[in-house]
């Protein structure tokens, strides 16, 4: 019955590798997000899709590329991983992108460690 | 962008105590939410409260939008209340900006 799920939960990889994180929501929401939480627990928005359309694209390296095959899924692909990419990545979803519709529900997070 | 400041940064409570967490923001908002990140890392949405007062069990929140602050009250705290509490706001640009959080430790 998980509302927002992410896979994998943990990801340990070498510098220079390419990896993907997958997110799925079964809440019937239109909007999905990727956040990065650093070691000091600061949460920052990376991307957001509304009805499969990219609406937020923060200043992140272009090694990060989101893909939304449908409204229920939002994946994050990372090329040429660097040490500084180590963090916890959270997926979230909301009914809509703004105001009262933008009450966000988070997945369990994916802890990425780059060696 | 909008600035979000939370205070205090850390709070240590004895079980059963009450506490108040504060969130100040620098601009008008159309969305304010409180989250709890438990010690296992899960982020739980506690309240959507752009204005007014809401209660959910031992937790309640008040936002005074005209004065640009929100308060989260924890009453009769329990050890399960430990974790980090985040305030997040949106100001007409779709982006939810998070504060740095208040780390709450409840001791038995």
């Amino acid at each position: 019955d998980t509302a927002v799920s992410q896979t994998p939960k943990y990801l340990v990889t070498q510098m220079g590798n390419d990896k993907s994180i997958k997110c799925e929501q079964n809440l019937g929401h239109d909007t999905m997000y990727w956040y990065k939480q650093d070691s000091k627990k600061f949460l920052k928005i990376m991307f957001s899709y509304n009805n499969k359309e990219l609406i937020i694209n923060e200043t992140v390296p272009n090694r990060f590329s989101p893909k939304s095959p449908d409204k229920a899924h939002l994946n994050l692909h990372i090329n040429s991983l660097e040490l500084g990419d180590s963090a916890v990545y959270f997926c979230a979803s909301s009914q809509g992108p703004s105001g009262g519709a933008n009450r966000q529900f988070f997945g369990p997070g994916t802890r990425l460690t780059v060696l | 962008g909008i600035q979000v400041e939370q205070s205090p940064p850390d709070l240590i409570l004895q079980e059963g105590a009450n506490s108040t967490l504060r969130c100040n923001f620098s601009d008008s908002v159309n969305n304010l939410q409180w989250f709890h990140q438990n010690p296992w890392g899960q982020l739980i949405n506690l309240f959507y409260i752009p204005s007014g007062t809401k209660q959910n069990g031992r937790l309640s929140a008040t936002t005074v939008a005209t004065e640009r602050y929100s308060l989260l009250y924890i009453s009769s705290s329990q050890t399960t209340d430990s974790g980090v509490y985040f305030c997040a706001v949106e100001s007409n640009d779709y982006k939810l900006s998070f504060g740095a959080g208040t780390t709450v430790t409840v001791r038995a």
Side-chain angles (χ1 to χ4, degrees), chain A residues 9-10 41 88 90 108-109 111, chain B residues 36-43 79-80 82-83:
Chain A
K9 191 161 172 57
Y10 299 96
K41 299 235 179 241
V88 181
F90 284 96
R111 182 174 293 276
Chain B
H36 175 220
Q37 186 167 34
N38 64 25
W40 297 271
Q42 179 69 48
L43 274 158
T79 55
T80 52
S82 294

Side-chain angles (χ1 to χ4, degrees), chain B residues 4-75:
Chain B
V4 185
E5 290 183 3
Q6 291 187 242
S7 59
D10 299 281
L11 194 55
I12 298 176
L13 301 170
Q14 204 60 36
E15 204 169 26
N18 303 328
S19 63
T20 302
L21 283 58
R22 187 175 179 105
C23 172
N24 292 334
F25 42 96
S26 61
D27 203 348
S28 58
V29 298
N30 61 3
N31 183 343
L32 187 146
Q33 298 175 48
W34 283 97
F35 295 86
H36 175 220
Q37 186 167 34
N38 64 25
W40 297 271
Q42 179 69 48
L43 274 158
I44 307 296
N45 191 303
L46 299 174
F47 294 103
Y48 164 78
I49 185 164
S51 64
T53 297
K54 287 187 179 177
Q55 178 141 14
N56 183 0
R58 294 178 298 100
L59 301 180
S60 63
T62 295
T63 298
V64 184
T66 51
E67 297 187 23
R68 299 185 184 166
Y69 73 88
S70 183
L71 302 173
L72 179 70
Y73 305 96
I74 306 174
S75 65

Side-chain angles (χ1 to χ4, degrees), chain A residues 7-21 78 81-83 85-89 109-115:
Chain A
T7 53
K9 191 161 172 57
Y10 299 96
L11 191 48
V12 181
T13 188
Q14 299 286 334
M15 263 195 328
N17 283 351
D18 302 339
K19 290 293 177 187
S20 291
I21 307 171
I78 315 170
L81 278 155
E82 299 178 358
L83 293 176
D85 297 333
S86 296
V88 181
Y89 293 84
T110 295
R111 182 174 293 276
L112 172 64
T113 304
V114 182
L115 304 174

Side-chain angles (χ1 to χ4, degrees), chain A residues 5-84:
Chain A
S5 60
Q6 294 179 229
T7 53
K9 191 161 172 57
Y10 299 96
L11 191 48
V12 181
T13 188
Q14 299 286 334
M15 263 195 328
N17 283 351
D18 302 339
K19 290 293 177 187
S20 291
I21 307 171
K22 297 190 173 187
C23 178
E24 176 180 1
Q25 54 94 5
N26 64 6
L27 296 168
H29 288 169
D30 286 345
T31 314
M32 296 183 73
Y33 310 82
W34 280 112
Y35 286 87
K36 181 179 180 179
Q37 186 173 46
D38 63 22
S39 57
K40 295 187 178 171
K41 299 235 179 241
F42 186 68
L43 273 156
K44 190 158 181 353
I45 183 74
M46 299 173 69
F47 302 104
S48 175
Y49 273 77
N50 183 54
N51 279 321
K52 301 198 297 173
E53 187 179 335
L54 185 66
I55 59 170
I56 296 175
N57 186 359
E58 283 296 270
T59 309
V60 298
N62 57 15
R63 299 180 293 103
F64 290 77
S65 53
K67 272 209 173 75
S68 182
D70 55 58
K71 285 196 310 184
H73 297 86
L74 180 61
N75 303 325
L76 183 65
H77 188 76
I78 315 170
N79 289 328
S80 304
L81 278 155
E82 299 178 358
L83 293 176

